[in-house]
Amino acid sequence: MPTYRGGRHEHGQNFLTAPSTIATITRLVAATEGPIIEIGPGDGALTTPLAQLGRPVTAVEIDTRLAQHLTQRLPSHVEVITDDFLTYRLPTSAHVLVGNLPFHQTTAILRRILHSPAWTDAIVLVQWEVARRRAGVGGATMMTAQWAPWFEFTLHSRVPARAFTPRPGVDGGILTIHRREHPLLSPTRRRHFHALVHRVYTGPGRGLAQILARTTSLGSPQTAQAWLTRHGMTAAGLPKDMPVEAWVDLFKTTGSSPPAHRAQTQQVKSRRRRR
């Protein structure tokens, strides 16, 4: 079954029509290398200038009618595939992702992108607030913090709602995600790092000193405060304020396991459940 539902367009898509925004996205893609995969090309407003870059382009469109129309209009080095990007099998060789993402599917598509191997850059148009949060403006979201050792998130520009047809209720933003050539942690440690970030973001306490003391092996607010001071942060800060370098050092310093007293409590609860 299709995963795109709702919205004023039958698949929830708001077509991009502003020439200046199309030119900006095309310029960002032109600065990358390799084959291009476009997510949800719609009526092809972005596909046509992407094709003019002279690189192989694969356009993944869920709407059969739109896909057929694109196939008739585009040059031979553009392959149009009728499929849902959330289930489309991405290549294992290097490529670039680009797309004006359906706003109601932004989180699901971003998660699919981040979990997918091989691509080097993703240039996506999403809701303005989503673009700001993913880029860490005003503080990083948990998702951004979890992926920051492997990816760089950059906010480029705001796109007014009038740049789309039908016009959405919010502005958009251009977000780029670049896969680090030299990741700050090995991919094999990703699951444990994600667990640490999740524990800190959802942990109890007022400020980082308390939160880290209760969720990591730093053990006490005093020890946590000393660690925070070394990284230029305060006890009253929040997880969203931690830069990626601090997260990586926290992981290397404490590992991914919860503090001993919390682990013992979890073991006791587990034994009680088994009785």
Side-chain angles (χ1 to χ4, degrees):
M1 294 179 64
T3 44
Y4 302 166
R5 296 187 181 87
R8 294 171 64 185
H9 178 266
E10 62 181 308
H11 291 300
Q13 181 70 296
N14 300 93
F15 296 143
L16 179 62
T17 57
S20 60
T21 302
I22 293 170
T24 297
I25 295 174
T26 304
R27 185 173 65 253
L28 290 169
V29 176
T32 66
E33 296 180 353
I36 300 164
I37 295 179
E38 185 183 4
I39 305 164
D43 60 0
L46 183 57
T47 318
T48 299
L50 290 177
Q52 293 171 355
L53 295 178
R55 291 151 59 180
V57 177
T58 301
V60 183
E61 173 56 54
I62 194 171
D63 187 307
T64 302
R65 178 182 57 82
L66 288 174
Q68 292 174 344
H69 182 59
L70 286 172
T71 300
Q72 297 169 359
R73 292 174 44 218
L74 295 170
S76 60
H77 68 281
V78 178
E79 180 182 13
V80 180
I81 295 178
T82 306
D83 204 347
D84 181 346
F85 178 76
L86 292 177
T87 57
Y88 172 69
R89 180 171 294 182
L90 290 166
T92 56
S93 55
H95 57 278
V96 174
L97 296 172
V98 58
N100 167 28
L101 307 189
F103 283 2
H104 69 292
Q105 285 287 335
T106 296
T107 298
I109 293 175
L110 284 178
R111 289 189 183 280
R112 171 77 204 286
I113 289 173
L114 291 171
H115 279 91
S116 299
W119 61 269
T120 58
D121 297 272
I123 298 95
V124 292
L125 178 52
V126 298
Q127 300 98 312
W128 172 243
E129 285 304 319
V130 171
R132 291 181 75 254
R133 292 198 305 270
R134 294 290 172 261
V137 178
T141 64
M142 180 166 63
M143 178 191 285
T144 300
Q146 286 179 319
W147 290 97
W150 298 278
F151 300 101
E152 294 176 287
F153 300 81
T154 304
L155 176 66
H156 284 274
S157 59
R158 187 167 188 158
V159 179
R162 64 177 179 274
F164 302 90
T165 301
R167 182 170 178 165
V170 295
D171 289 349
I174 299 174
L175 174 73
T176 63
I177 310 172
H178 175 69
R179 189 184 300 272
R180 295 181 186 271
E181 294 179 17
H182 304 287
L184 305 182
L185 287 173
S186 166
T188 60
R189 307 177 79 177
R190 191 176 75 192
R191 183 171 63 86
H192 295 297
F193 180 80
H194 282 193
L196 169 66
V197 175
H198 180 271
R199 195 165 64 249
V200 172
Y201 262 85
T202 59
R206 299 180 63 181
L208 279 169
Q210 289 186 8
I211 295 171
L212 294 180
R214 295 172 181 177
T215 59
T216 74
S217 60
L218 291 176
S220 70
Q222 293 76 21
T223 304
Q225 175 63 75
W227 182 87
L228 289 166
T229 300
R230 290 199 300 274
H231 288 277
M233 292 179 289
T234 66
L238 296 173
K240 69 181 181 65
D241 303 318
M242 289 177 57
V244 60
E245 295 80 9
W247 280 111
V248 171
D249 184 67
L250 181 67
F251 181 77
K252 292 179 177 179
T253 300
T254 67
S256 61
S257 300
H261 67 85
R262 180 172 175 177
Q264 292 170 356
T265 301
Q266 291 174 339
Q267 290 173 1
V268 170
K269 290 181 179 178
S270 178
R271 286 196 294 269
R272 287 175 178 171
R273 285 195 295 267
R274 290 197 297 265
R275 290 177 182 173

